[in-house]
């Protein structure tokens, strides 16, 4: 009988380790990089989200809170596993971790940036040799974020379940194979996703139903001729409205080609933003509802915002008050560089804004 009573208080409960915990396999690799991903991904997100710009400034301001919160949430499942004595990632979790990490990366590189000047393209757009549209970026961002969150929840649930086990989970060959497939194929799918963004964008059609490639194959002179025809058609539609209000005395506030291109749209596009104004009429305010009713009877319609839409897709609005009246037209968009087309049409400075027009007259684009 020993007189060292403190030895009797030692609990001899063994701390078990996962099978193969001493090996350098895919599960051990995932276990080793797990902490780095938990803390590294939030730091990388600060740089990549919005590709700088105002987003970088905002994220830097909240980073003292954002990074620790995201890092601790990502570390929670691993902490629970370590408390149970697990020293390598269970096979049921390894593949989920790879999916989660790559999903976060995909989501982080999709938001475009913003500045006081021109928008900043998203990181994914910079990685692609072909333009990627904003719609595709948004789909990837939402999909990637959703997948990452679901994987984190699944990993957390599995970690809680494994804590209750009395013996370590064995790494099955099937689980290991799935983990290797995820580790190898996810980077390939990531590259394929960027390529797919360019391929999908190239198939988007403009208001004429043409793809980017179809329009870019045309000579600039042909594109300019089409733009001129579209301008005349849009002005003709707006002149119908102007003729219902006043025969002459119209001044212009906005003319010609409207550049629609932005980095979120990814591809050069243009339309027409046409605006005319008129002094107050002697007979008083214009009956806008009566004009709209007559145009609707001619096949026009109203959109969800209450604006008139003609059969060609032009959005027309009429404003009338005691200070005067304004009519405007916003056309659909077509692929093409507005600057190049304007140069081809010989657009230049003139006295278009200084003169007035009859209802069926308008300046060149």
């Amino acid at each position: 009988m020993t007189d060292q009573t403190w030895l009797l208080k030692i609990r001899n409960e063994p701390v078990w380790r996962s099978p193969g915990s001493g090996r350098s396999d895919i599960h051990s690799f995932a276990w080793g990089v797990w902490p780095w991903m938990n803390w590294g991904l939030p730091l990388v997100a600060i740089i990549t989200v919005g590709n700088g710009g105002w987003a970088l400034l905002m994220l830097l301001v909240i980073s003292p809170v954002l990074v620790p919160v995201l890092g601790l949430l990502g570390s929670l499942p691993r902490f629970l596993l370590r408390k149970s004595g697990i020293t390598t990632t269970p096979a049921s979790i390894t593949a989920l971790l790879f999916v989660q990490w790559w999903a976060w990366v995909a989501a982080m590189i999709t938001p475009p940036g913003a500045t006081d000047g021109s928008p900043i393209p998203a990181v994914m757009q910079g990685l692609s040799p072909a333009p990627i549209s904003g719609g595709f970026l948004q789909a990837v961002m939402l999909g990637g974020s959703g997948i990452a969150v679901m994987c984190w929840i699944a990993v957390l649930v599995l970690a809680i379940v494994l804590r209750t086990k009395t013996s370590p989970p064995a790494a099955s060959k099937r689980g290991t194979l799935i983990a290797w497939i995820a580790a190898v194929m996810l980077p390939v799918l990531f590259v394929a996703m960027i390529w797919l963004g360019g391929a999908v964008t190239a198939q988007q059609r403009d208001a004429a139903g043409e793809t980017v490639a179809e329009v870019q194959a045309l000579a600039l002179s042909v594109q300019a001729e089409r733009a001129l025809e579209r301008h005349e058609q849009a002005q003709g539609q707006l002149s119908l409205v102007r003729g219902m209000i006043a025969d002459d005395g119209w001044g212009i506030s906005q003319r010609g080609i409207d550049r629609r291109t932005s980095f979120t749209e990814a591809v050069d596009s243009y339309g027409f933003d046409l605006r005319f104004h008129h002094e107050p009429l002697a007979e008083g305010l214009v009956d806008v509802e009566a004009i709209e009713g007559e145009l609707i009877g001619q096949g026009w319609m109203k959109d969800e915002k209450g604006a008139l839409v003609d059969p060609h897709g032009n959005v027309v609005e009429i404003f009338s008050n005691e200070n005067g009246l304004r009519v405007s037209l916003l056309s659909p968009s077509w692929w093409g560089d507005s600057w190049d087309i304007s140069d081809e049409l010989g657009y230049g400075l003139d006295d278009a804004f200084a003169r007035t027009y009859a209802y069926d007259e308008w300046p060149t684009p």
Side-chain angles (χ1 to χ4, degrees):
M1 189 72 176
T2 178
D3 57 355
Q4 296 178 328
T5 57
W6 63 272
L7 290 175
L8 300 177
K9 298 181 180 180
I10 296 179
R11 299 180 63 183
N12 295 320
E13 297 178 3
V15 176
W16 51 265
R17 297 179 179 273
S18 301
S21 60
R23 298 199 311 260
S24 297
D25 58 10
I26 189 67
H27 307 295
S28 299
F29 171 78
W31 182 265
V33 301
W34 198 347
W36 294 95
M37 302 303 288
N38 291 337
W39 297 95
L41 285 178
L43 294 174
V44 174
I46 293 175
I47 301 173
T48 57
V49 170
N51 201 7
W54 291 119
L56 176 61
L57 178 61
M58 181 186 68
L59 291 174
L60 285 175
V61 170
I62 64 174
S63 61
V65 175
L66 179 66
V67 173
V69 169
L70 295 179
L72 291 173
L73 286 174
S75 301
L76 180 58
R78 191 176 188 273
F79 173 77
L80 295 176
L81 293 174
R82 286 188 62 189
K83 289 288 288 184
S84 301
I86 297 177
T87 58
T88 186
T89 307
S92 57
I93 290 179
T94 304
L96 287 173
L97 287 176
F98 287 124
V99 174
Q100 175 187 329
W101 296 335
W102 280 104
W104 277 132
V105 172
M108 290 188 308
I109 66 174
T110 53
T115 64
D116 287 338
S118 300
I120 303 175
V123 173
M124 181 179 289
Q125 290 173 315
L127 295 175
S128 173
I132 298 179
S133 69
F136 186 87
L137 292 175
Q138 186 176 31
V140 172
M141 181 179 65
L142 295 176
S145 301
I147 291 172
V149 170
M150 289 188 292
C151 286
W152 177 82
I153 293 174
V155 170
L156 179 62
V157 170
L158 287 172
I160 294 174
V161 171
L162 290 173
R163 285 194 67 193
T164 64
K165 301 295 183 180
T166 56
S167 59
S172 65
K173 291 183 178 180
R174 181 180 179 181
T176 301
L177 177 61
I178 294 175
W180 273 109
I181 292 175
V184 174
M185 292 304 300
L186 286 173
V188 177
L189 291 176
F190 180 80
V191 175
M193 177 189 64
I194 297 176
W195 172 87
L196 180 63
V200 170
T201 301
Q203 296 304 312
Q204 290 185 332
R205 299 183 180 274
D206 61 12
E210 296 177 314
T211 65
V212 179
E214 291 171 342
V215 174
Q216 291 179 343
L218 300 174
L220 183 59
S221 59
V222 177
Q223 296 183 43
E225 182 179 349
R226 288 186 174 188
L228 183 59
E229 293 175 356
R230 290 162 179 164
H231 173 263
E232 298 302 296
Q233 177 270 328
Q235 288 281 17
Q237 292 295 92
L238 190 56
S239 72
L240 294 177
V241 180
R242 292 163 53 209
M244 298 170 69
I245 300 173
D247 291 334
D248 53 26
W250 291 96
I252 61 170
S253 305
Q254 185 74 22
R255 62 178 286 191
I257 293 179
D258 174 36
R259 190 167 188 258
R260 304 282 175 81
T261 306
S262 71
F263 283 117
T264 55
E265 292 171 348
V267 184
D268 290 327
S269 59
Y270 70 92
F272 299 104
D273 185 1
L274 311 176
R275 306 176 199 175
F276 285 81
H277 60 266
H278 200 286
E279 295 296 326
L281 300 181
E283 55 270 25
L285 297 180
V286 174
D287 190 344
V288 176
E289 291 185 359
I291 294 175
E292 291 178 344
E294 185 172 343
L295 291 171
I296 290 174
Q298 297 178 19
W300 292 40
M301 58 184 297
K302 282 195 172 185
D303 62 12
E304 62 277 3
K305 297 181 180 179
L308 284 168
V309 181
D310 73 6
H312 302 282
N314 300 303
V315 178
V316 176
E317 294 184 283
I318 309 170
F319 305 92
S320 177
N321 56 37
E322 62 275 5
N323 297 319
L325 56 94
R326 294 176 290 121
V327 294
S328 64
L329 179 147
L330 196 64
S331 76
S333 298
W334 300 275
W335 304 131
D337 189 305
S338 59
W339 301 113
D340 291 342
I341 292 175
S342 295
D343 289 341
E344 184 69 18
L345 291 173
Y347 176 79
L349 298 176
D350 52 30
D351 63 346
F353 288 90
R355 54 167 296 194
T356 59
Y357 300 84
Y359 78 93
D360 56 353
E361 294 178 335
W362 51 80
T364 57

